[in-house]
Amino acid sequence: MTNTLPRVRSTGGGQPQRTAERAPVAAPVSRLRALDGLRLVAALMVALYHYGGRSGDISKGWGASPKKLFPATHEWFSYGCLGVQIFFIISGFVICMSGWGRPLRSFFASRVARLYPAYWAALIIITAVFALPWVVYRTVTPSEFMVNLTMLQMPVGVHRVLGVCWTLWAELRFYALFAVCVVLPGATRRRVVLFCAGWTLAAALTATAEQPFLSAVFMPEYAPFFIGGMGLYLLHRNRRDVTAWGIVAVSWAIGQHYAVAGLWHKPNPAAFSNRHASVIIAIITLGFLLVGAIALGYFRWANWSWLTVAGALTYPFYLVHEHLGWVVVGVLHRSLHIPAPATFALTIAAMLALAWLLNRYVERWATPMLRRALTTRAATP
């Protein structure tokens, strides 16, 4: 969700060169622009869910439940939350690719510089908007805001400024595990395979242990998607890697199980929506298939430069769309009386425009500046 794709050379036929097992040298890969486009699609899926696929605070913006405003589509919008699982698959792929051959200091700097500038800007904007007297949503205290700046508000038990922060907390834990187990000793195929196998087993055992600490570390409900993405990157390097195919297959099987267990319930007329297990499985399967098709080179033809722009907008859009969307929906629909479908479209357009501004005026200068600051070694006296 939060990642950019590194630009490196590709070899003939679109397949990356294979490196020696013991040499942690970066694998040459071309930029996969189709993956940028898929990231934006996943973000838009989540926006559909937040604006029309659930009740809660968005109902204050609409002035009524989205179930009443979108009677024919609200159940389809409710599947949009599965965009998060697709994000995690992409993240597993991209982090494995970007961490290959990179020293720990560089890997740490790249992740911090990618995550935090737009995140800090989003925190400031949303906190300021929620502090306005006519905005009906709860704001945070100065103490809570400062903890939110660290991105560690969830384990600390502090109120979140951004509702989507729980996914960033999952990403941070994945980065930490990958850094310690793969980047620190030096990325090789063998280490990645062992990491995937070990994490899969640890996550499965954690699910039976009922220990909160182990659940927080190994994330059994999300691990299959990160692991599946790493397996797909191994296939990007070598499509004949039978072990990698096995990693992907096991991850898909376990991942769809957790998705169904978390989102399906028996039909209930009082429920906001009644998701079908078959549709949940189909969307998870499609996510694996699309990332897999991109990894294997079947979307090399989708090499349009605008997809890179789409990918650049994904992270800031994801950060701001939910909470600011509540406010924009309220202004457009309840104050200006714009019909619900038009409000829906205009709100998404407004959040994309804000994402462009954040990318243009925050990320483009702050990200490289922060990366340089973190990778430059302090001079010793």
Side-chain angles (χ1 to χ4, degrees):
M1 169 181 57
T2 61
N3 310 301
T4 53
L5 304 176
R7 299 175 183 271
V8 208
R9 295 186 307 275
S10 63
T11 58
Q15 292 301 312
Q17 295 174 341
R18 300 184 64 184
T19 57
E21 181 65 30
R22 294 183 180 178
V25 179
V29 290
S30 59
R31 184 178 183 94
L32 304 174
R33 284 189 166 131
L35 208 57
D36 287 322
L38 183 59
R39 289 175 61 222
L40 183 59
V41 169
L44 292 173
M45 287 175 61
V46 176
L48 293 178
Y49 169 70
H50 283 148
Y51 295 163
R54 58 174 296 180
S55 54
D57 283 322
I58 187 61
S59 298
K60 298 178 184 178
W62 289 115
S65 171
K67 185 176 183 178
K68 296 181 178 179
L69 295 171
F70 307 103
T73 55
H74 74 280
E75 289 207 359
W76 290 108
F77 291 156
S78 72
Y79 291 103
C81 59
L82 290 165
V84 170
Q85 280 79 358
I86 296 175
F87 273 138
F88 289 163
I89 299 170
I90 296 172
S91 184
F93 182 100
V94 174
I95 291 303
C96 195
M97 176 167 58
S98 64
W100 203 284
R102 175 172 279 177
L104 184 61
R105 185 187 186 96
S106 175
F107 178 78
F108 170 78
S110 70
R111 292 301 92 205
V112 171
R114 179 68 183 110
L115 287 178
Y116 279 91
Y119 173 77
W120 288 330
L123 285 183
I124 293 169
I125 293 170
I126 292 172
T127 301
V129 170
F130 275 26
L132 296 173
W134 54 271
V135 176
V136 298
Y137 303 103
R138 179 184 183 274
T139 187
V140 295
T141 67
S143 175
E144 290 173 327
F145 176 80
M146 287 185 283
V147 174
N148 272 260
L149 291 172
T150 69
M151 210 178 282
L152 297 175
Q153 57 272 26
M154 290 195 66
V156 174
V158 169
H159 176 73
R160 294 176 287 163
V161 174
L162 306 180
V164 298
C165 281
W166 71 269
T167 64
L168 302 183
W169 172 227
E171 292 273 354
L172 286 179
R173 287 175 282 171
F174 166 48
Y175 297 168
L177 288 172
F178 187 81
V180 171
C181 298
V182 179
V183 177
L184 182 60
T188 64
R189 175 191 172 276
R190 180 173 180 271
R191 288 195 180 106
V192 172
V193 168
L194 289 175
F195 175 58
C196 291
W199 191 9
T200 298
L201 180 59
L205 293 174
T206 296
T208 66
E210 297 183 356
Q211 293 292 327
F213 175 76
L214 293 178
S215 296
V217 173
F218 295 117
M219 304 180 288
E221 68 272 42
Y222 308 126
F225 304 103
F226 293 120
I227 295 168
M230 288 186 284
L232 290 169
Y233 176 65
L234 293 179
L235 290 176
H236 178 69
R237 293 173 61 85
N238 178 14
R239 66 172 62 198
R240 296 180 180 178
D241 189 336
V242 177
T243 302
W245 280 108
I247 290 170
V248 174
V250 171
S251 298
W252 167 81
I254 298 174
Q256 62 82 26
H257 162 73
Y258 277 113
V260 171
L263 297 175
W264 181 84
H265 57 77
K266 292 182 178 180
N268 181 356
F272 179 89
S273 61
N274 292 288
R275 300 183 185 94
H276 298 279
S278 58
V279 178
I280 296 171
I281 295 171
I283 293 173
I284 293 297
T285 303
L286 182 61
F288 272 93
L289 288 175
L290 288 174
V291 178
I294 294 169
L296 295 175
Y298 292 113
F299 281 90
R300 284 194 299 268
W301 53 269
N303 196 35
W304 308 300
S305 58
W306 64 266
L307 288 175
T308 302
V309 177
L313 298 184
T314 300
Y315 181 49
F317 173 83
Y318 184 74
L319 292 174
V320 301
H321 82 275
E322 183 183 9
H323 288 170
L324 289 185
W326 300 345
V327 178
V328 173
V329 164
V331 171
L332 295 178
H333 187 64
R334 289 190 293 109
S335 300
L336 300 180
H337 306 292
I338 296 176
T343 293
F344 206 119
L346 288 172
T347 302
I348 290 178
M351 294 301 101
L352 286 171
L354 178 57
W356 181 87
L357 292 172
L358 288 173
N359 175 254
R360 176 66 179 82
Y361 295 105
V362 175
E363 290 187 300
R364 286 193 187 181
W365 65 269
T367 295
M369 182 181 68
L370 185 56
R371 184 185 297 115
R372 285 194 300 270
L374 291 172
T375 53
T376 302
R377 295 183 182 274
T380 56

